[in-house]
Amino acid sequence: MNPSKVIRENVEKLTDLPNIGKTVAADLARVGITSPDQLKDQDPYDLYVRFCEAFGEKQDPCMLDVLMSVTDFMDGGDARVWWDYTAERKRLYGSGNIEK
């Protein structure tokens, strides 16, 4: 969902989260995340690794930005567009091959 349309009190399903549409919701389900509450206290990098393993290949680093956005939101942060997290991701993990 577009972050500007997210209402925290109305978040019930994955597609109610900022930056999550049907495709990413299905991808999250593939790694065992089926409800927003399951994203609380999750490490976005660990989720990204699970994505890579589930799909059998390294995922686009922007997926880590998305995961950072939804885990931050579920831990009480504001609903923000995923690219707001790009600079932080690059600072924490580098810009190319993501290594923790």
Side-chain angles (χ1 to χ4, degrees), residues 3-6 19 21 25 29 32 36 50 53-54 57-58 61-62 64-65 70 72 78 84-85 88:
S4 67
K5 297 180 180 181
V6 171
N19 306 303
R50 286 168 53 191
E53 290 170 351
E57 63 186 12
K58 182 167 261 180
C62 295
L64 180 51
D65 300 345
V70 295
D72 181 48
D78 293 331
D84 278 359
Y85 292 83
E88 180 181 358

Side-chain angles (χ1 to χ4, degrees), residues 4-99:
S4 67
K5 297 180 180 181
V6 171
I7 300 169
R8 184 177 301 279
E9 296 77 26
N10 295 344
V11 172
E12 295 179 5
K13 57 189 185 291
L14 293 173
T15 53
D16 294 333
L17 292 167
N19 306 303
I20 304 296
K22 291 179 183 178
T23 300
V24 176
D27 292 347
L28 284 164
R30 189 168 174 175
V31 298
I33 304 292
T34 58
S35 73
D37 283 339
Q38 290 175 291
L39 291 163
K40 290 180 181 175
D41 300 319
Q42 289 279 341
D43 180 311
Y45 183 82
D46 290 343
L47 286 172
Y48 175 79
V49 170
R50 286 168 53 191
F51 264 66
C52 294
E53 290 170 351
F55 290 92
E57 63 186 12
K58 182 167 261 180
Q59 298 296 294
D60 188 300
C62 295
M63 179 52 69
L64 180 51
D65 300 345
V66 171
L67 296 170
M68 290 170 73
S69 78
V70 295
T71 55
D72 181 48
F73 177 78
M74 287 308 298
D75 289 338
D78 293 331
R80 297 169 34 204
V81 292
W82 64 265
W83 56 87
D84 278 359
Y85 292 83
T86 302
E88 180 181 358
R89 182 228 331 139
K90 288 180 178 180
R91 182 179 56 78
L92 292 171
Y93 308 111
S95 59
N97 291 331
I98 298 174
E99 308 256 343

